[in-house]
Amino acid sequence: IGRVGYVGPHIEAIQQGTKIAGSAVTVLSHPGDNIMIHAAVEVCRPGDILVVVNTAPSTHGMFGDLLATSLMARGVCGLVIDAGVRDTMDLREMGFPVWSQHVSCQGTVKNTPGSVNVPVVLGGITVQPGDVVCADDDGVVVVERGDAAWALEQSLARIDKEAATRARLEAGELGIDFYGLRAKLAELGVDDVD
């Protein structure tokens, strides 16, 4: 989709081999306070992904297995959070997918108001409620809701194209030839040296 929507390398999967996509429910929280995550649970529907952003950097473990249990009961697909999570072993065993900035056992309080389902900025990307969040081992991408169908078409076309390319490479063809890179290298002044 034109190399847009990637929230950056600072948000990583705590598990491996998981792929999710769903509709964003957004949370804007005060650092070290997870009351708004609790408030967001009742807004979540099956297939949603909770996206939590703090108003300033946070090193706290704002999410753990108890909140995951609550979200799983509502059919939520996973969590993307710009702070820390705790109980990672439990989260992995539960099968609740999480992408976070870090892991931390530092606890939180429940004292400061925030917002649910408002635009938030995660890694320089504005996430609107209802945008599509896609996450796997490589990271998290946000697709604007209005572009979701088009992005899916582009993704399926890319999968088909890569399958055809893989077959050519497996047959021994060189990418430098079928991508037309020999001419590009010559244009850049790169010479073959024996």
Side-chain angles (χ1 to χ4, degrees), residues 3 161 165 168-169 173-192:
R3 294 183 177 89
K161 181 180 177 186
T165 299
R168 291 174 78 177
L169 293 169
E173 201 171 340
L174 296 175
I176 198 166
D177 291 325
F178 66 79
Y179 288 133
L181 298 177
R182 287 192 192 281
K184 180 70 170 182
L185 288 171
E187 179 184 312
L188 295 171
V190 177
D191 294 322
D192 286 336

Side-chain angles (χ1 to χ4, degrees), residues 20-25 49 51 80 127 130-135 140-143:
I20 64 170
S23 183
V25 171
I49 296 174
V51 177
V80 176
V127 184
D131 282 351
V132 177
V133 178
C134 305
V140 178
V141 172
V142 177
V143 179

